[in-house]
Amino acid sequence: MFPLQRGRRLRANESIRSLVRETTLSPSDFMFPMFITEGENYQSEIPSMVGIYRRSIDLTVKEVKEIFALGIRAINIYVKVDESLKDNTGKEAWNPNGLMQQAIKAIKAACPEMIVMPDVALDPYSIYGHDGLIENGDIANDATNEALVKMAVSHAQAGADFVAPSDMMDGRVLRLRQGLDAAGFSNVGIMSYSAKYASAFYGPFRDALDSAPVDNAEIPKDKKTYQMDYANRIEAIKEALMDVEEGADMVMVKPGIAYLDIVREVKNAVNVPVTVFHVSGEYAMIKAASERGWLDHDKIMMEQLMCIKRAGASLISTYFAKEAAILLNK
């Protein structure tokens, strides 16, 4: 039968396409991951992440003001601590005068409306590079949770709006919720890394924080005993549902583009916003390919971000946040 319905009528020109477009992007859809280091008026580019820097607190504050002016309303912050402060207790993670705590205070003082979500995990503070405490050659789940509570409460005391546990310990969301409430921070939210896979896409991030697991035969050689097996789908839904039951206000799927099927599954399963982390390796691949002229940088960047949003993301944590916001504002 000759077609009565012609899909091309709705694709005839950009004006029509924009009228019927199902998914849109805006700068407020993005969260910008930021790396903070000691010093003053200091920044250094991360070699494996072109255009991304470790910055001292003063320059971080300047950058925060710039991205807020672009319409970005959330940042996810990480710190690179001095080797001398690392141990197997994590105590520097809840130092009230620590680098993370100082950074949160400075950012909130300079830009109160920016939503600050500090990372909650022990790997930047660990001599072993793991997200938890090592006991008897393994990651001690419950002892790690106790340390994470101290860490999260210290972030809340510094002014954090949300805490972002990325450790993947069992039961940590419940313990964090209980600990924050007991300390008088019932209004501080939890954005849980619920479906965080043991992925090879994290390599450049670990360069940024010098947080890769150390080569030691007496401890786990990687993070596969707590991060998820990338062969699994149903497990991601279970983890997200458990975190919501334990008090998570948002759940995250990480990585992004390679896991869009998981994003949609989790979105369909939960009744809270879903964040997606467009991770360092995904960022680095686009940068490398575009530098060689193999891909159109801006077109690929925007296509990937749109696809993440289309899959179900309410918020996208991406190293492209600033570049994408500039393009959208044009």
Side-chain angles (χ1 to χ4, degrees):
M1 179 178 174
F2 196 78
L4 299 177
Q5 289 292 332
R6 292 180 180 266
R8 290 183 61 190
R9 295 187 191 117
L10 300 180
R11 305 177 200 139
N13 56 58
E14 177 55 26
S15 293
I16 294 175
R17 292 192 294 271
S18 68
L19 288 176
V20 299
R21 189 161 289 141
E22 300 172 27
T23 307
T24 59
L25 278 174
S26 75
S28 62
D29 290 322
F30 304 138
M31 177 162 60
F32 194 27
M34 304 185 77
F35 300 109
I36 301 168
T37 190
E38 298 282 2
E40 186 175 351
N41 194 33
Y42 173 83
Q43 70 176 23
S44 64
E45 189 174 40
I46 300 161
S48 54
M49 299 175 70
V50 176
I52 301 298
Y53 296 83
R54 302 184 196 96
R55 292 185 172 92
S56 54
I57 291 175
D58 55 332
L59 295 187
T60 299
V61 167
K62 182 181 178 183
E63 181 77 352
V64 167
K65 290 179 178 178
E66 290 182 13
I67 65 173
F68 189 84
L70 292 171
I72 296 168
R73 294 294 179 261
I75 56 173
N76 195 200
I77 58 177
Y78 304 84
V79 293
K80 185 180 188 304
V81 300
D82 189 271
E83 290 294 320
S84 66
L85 298 175
K86 296 182 180 183
D87 60 17
N88 190 37
T89 71
K91 64 180 184 296
E92 180 62 21
W94 54 87
N95 177 0
N97 297 312
L99 181 59
M100 177 68 87
Q101 290 76 6
Q102 292 182 53
I104 295 168
K105 291 175 184 177
I107 292 166
K108 293 301 290 186
C111 192
E113 294 179 61
M114 179 63 84
I115 302 303
V116 178
M117 302 191 189
D119 180 59
V120 176
L122 295 180
D123 49 329
Y125 305 90
S126 169
I127 55 173
Y128 298 114
H130 275 288
D131 291 32
L133 307 180
I134 301 292
E135 291 182 2
N136 301 318
D138 200 4
I139 313 300
N141 191 95
D142 296 355
T144 296
N145 284 343
E146 294 177 13
L148 296 176
V149 170
K150 296 176 186 177
M151 186 179 185
V153 169
S154 77
H155 293 173
Q157 290 168 337
D161 300 283
F162 285 76
V163 294
S166 63
D167 56 286
M168 288 298 286
M169 296 298 113
D170 292 334
R172 91 275 206 211
V173 172
L174 178 60
R175 290 289 176 258
L176 290 175
R177 185 71 273 156
Q178 292 171 333
L180 288 167
D181 290 356
F185 295 106
S186 59
N187 289 330
V188 172
I190 298 174
M191 183 195 68
S192 174
Y193 288 57
S194 298
K196 180 179 180 181
Y197 285 84
S199 171
F201 282 105
Y202 305 151
F205 174 91
R206 291 175 182 164
D207 289 343
L209 293 185
D210 189 23
S211 62
V214 299
D215 186 9
N216 185 324
E218 297 180 0
I219 63 171
K221 65 179 180 179
D222 53 38
K223 302 190 178 187
K224 292 181 179 179
T225 67
Y226 45 102
Q227 294 178 358
M228 285 180 50
D229 184 342
Y230 59 72
N232 293 355
R233 176 182 63 87
I234 295 172
E235 185 182 14
I237 301 170
K238 181 185 76 171
E239 290 281 355
L241 289 171
M242 287 170 56
D243 282 359
V244 173
E245 290 175 2
E246 291 180 15
D249 301 282
M250 298 187 227
V251 296
M252 177 184 276
V253 175
K254 180 181 181 182
I257 284 295
Y259 294 77
L260 293 186
D261 60 322
I262 306 301
V263 175
R264 174 46 58 185
E265 294 268 17
V266 170
K267 178 69 172 178
N268 289 343
V270 302
N271 58 2
V272 299
V274 176
T275 303
V276 176
F277 206 139
H278 192 216
V279 300
S280 59
E282 295 169 316
Y283 173 88
M285 288 193 301
I286 292 177
K287 289 293 183 182
S290 63
E291 283 179 356
R292 288 160 177 76
W294 297 341
L295 295 174
D296 184 307
H297 177 279
D298 290 353
K299 288 181 180 178
I300 290 292
M301 171 181 73
M302 297 308 292
E303 181 177 343
Q304 288 205 359
L305 294 173
M306 184 70 78
C307 291
I308 293 171
K309 179 80 180 291
R310 187 196 65 219
S314 299
L315 181 64
I316 305 169
S317 184
T318 175
Y319 300 98
F320 286 117
K322 186 176 182 180
E323 292 174 275
I326 291 170
L327 273 183
L328 289 168
N329 286 333
K330 288 180 180 179

